[in-house]
Amino acid sequence: MKPQQVREWVRAARRIVVLSGAGMSAESGVPTFRDAQTGLWAKFRPEELATEEAFRARPQMVWDWYAARRESLAKVEPNAGHHAIAAFQQRHPGRLTVVTQNVDGLHQRAGSPGVLALHGSILEDRWLEAPRPCCAGAEPLPGRPPRCGVCGNLRRPAVVWFGEMLPARELAAAEDAAAACDLMLVVGTSGVVYPAAGLARATQGRVVIVNPQASELDDAADAVLRGTAAALLPELLED
Ligand code: OAD
């Protein structure tokens, strides 16, 4: 399948969903989960580190890892793929919905409105336990992680960890968008993590994969484009 054919599908589509994963941000310099060769991801599988259990067992290590990622995100910028999506949305209000598994905020920084962030945001944190009045009433004590000075409740990254529920409002809106779209561009995801990957299997619309490598969703696709997000999306989404 040629990109030009997919561009025709984009032009004809009334409602489009972009379902993005870590590969969307690779050309911004953000390492993907499963490609990362260095750091903690190399020592621990994501399933071993990004869990509430891991945080409770080693809060400082998990906090520090997220803090380092947060710091490195401050130094990166959205790439041509993020910008092409946001520009399309600005030219065609209401026609394209971004559903992302990424917690890096780069779609939002590129100017995409209404991003459905299924896995939360690494730029924010929240209380580990449901906050008591003491937690909400005062600034958390600085630390790694910060904690409530009264009850000891810990701050944790506001991301969805393995085994946790996705935010209900975002997931419902993503399911609605997937059901209503006639074209879904699945960009930079290995397609192994559900329920996000299930959106590509549930849609009645055409499914196009944008990924330089094979993914678990290739069998659900009407077209597979072997290329990168920053190289292909500007071409696919130009008018
Ligand atoms: P992965 O790291 O599993 O997959 C990244 C995908 O991006 C791979 O299929 C790569 O081939 C592809 N890729 C790499 N560079 C690319 C580029 N420049 N353009 C396009 N594609 C490229 O990331 P996700 O599929 O996002 O979950 O992982 C899904 C979820 O698992 C994450 O959201 C996270 C993770 O553990 C949670 O934290 C809950």
Side-chain angles (χ1 to χ4, degrees):
M1 182 72 61
K2 294 224 162 61
Q4 292 89 320
Q5 173 64 53
V6 174
R7 197 163 73 194
E8 293 309 314
W9 291 354
V10 169
R11 286 183 179 159
R14 289 173 45 236
R15 288 186 189 278
I16 302 169
V17 167
V18 170
L19 174 64
S20 67
M24 179 79 228
S25 300
E27 286 150 290
S28 293
V30 182
T32 64
F33 290 92
R34 286 168 188 79
D35 297 347
Q37 296 299 309
T38 56
L40 284 177
W41 281 154
K43 271 205 271 171
F44 298 91
R45 295 187 313 126
E47 292 81 352
E48 288 170 323
L49 190 68
T51 65
E52 186 179 322
E53 211 182 358
F55 182 76
R56 285 182 188 280
R58 287 184 271 202
Q60 184 175 329
M61 184 189 85
V62 175
W63 178 266
D64 284 354
W65 186 82
Y66 279 97
R69 254 183 99 87
R70 213 179 268 184
E71 259 173 47
S72 58
L73 279 176
K75 297 179 202 131
V76 306
E77 298 293 335
N79 64 51
H82 298 104
H83 287 303
I85 293 167
F88 185 93
Q89 290 175 295
Q90 272 138 31
R91 293 197 307 275
H92 303 280
R95 212 168 131 207
L96 188 155
T97 304
V98 175
V99 179
T100 189
Q101 300 167 82
N102 298 344
V103 295
D104 56 30
L106 289 177
H107 281 297
Q108 295 88 335
R109 278 172 57 194
S112 278
V115 175
L116 298 173
L118 294 181
H119 293 166
S121 169
I122 200 174
L123 307 174
E124 292 159 37
D125 49 57
R126 63 178 178 82
W127 294 108
L128 178 61
E129 313 291 351
R132 303 193 182 103
C134 55
C135 312
E139 277 294 298
L141 291 183
R144 297 161 37 210
R147 64 180 63 231
C148 172
V150 178
C151 73
N153 198 359
L154 300 178
R155 299 293 288 175
R156 54 157 283 184
V159 299
V160 175
W161 281 329
F162 287 95
E164 293 184 327
M165 303 286 284
L166 271 57
R169 192 195 68 79
E170 277 79 0
L171 180 58
E175 285 168 347
D176 289 349
C181 76
D182 34 27
L183 178 65
M184 183 181 290
L185 304 178
V186 178
V187 184
T189 180
S190 51
V192 298
V193 173
Y194 283 74
L199 297 171
R201 300 203 176 273
T203 184
Q204 303 290 312
R206 284 183 170 127
V207 173
V208 176
I209 308 279
V210 175
N211 196 318
Q213 289 172 33
S215 86
E216 292 293 317
L217 289 170
D218 289 0
D219 66 299
D222 296 281
V224 175
L225 299 179
R226 285 276 172 259
T228 71
L232 282 172
L233 287 173
E235 183 179 352
L236 299 181
L237 295 174
E238 83 184 0
D239 283 339

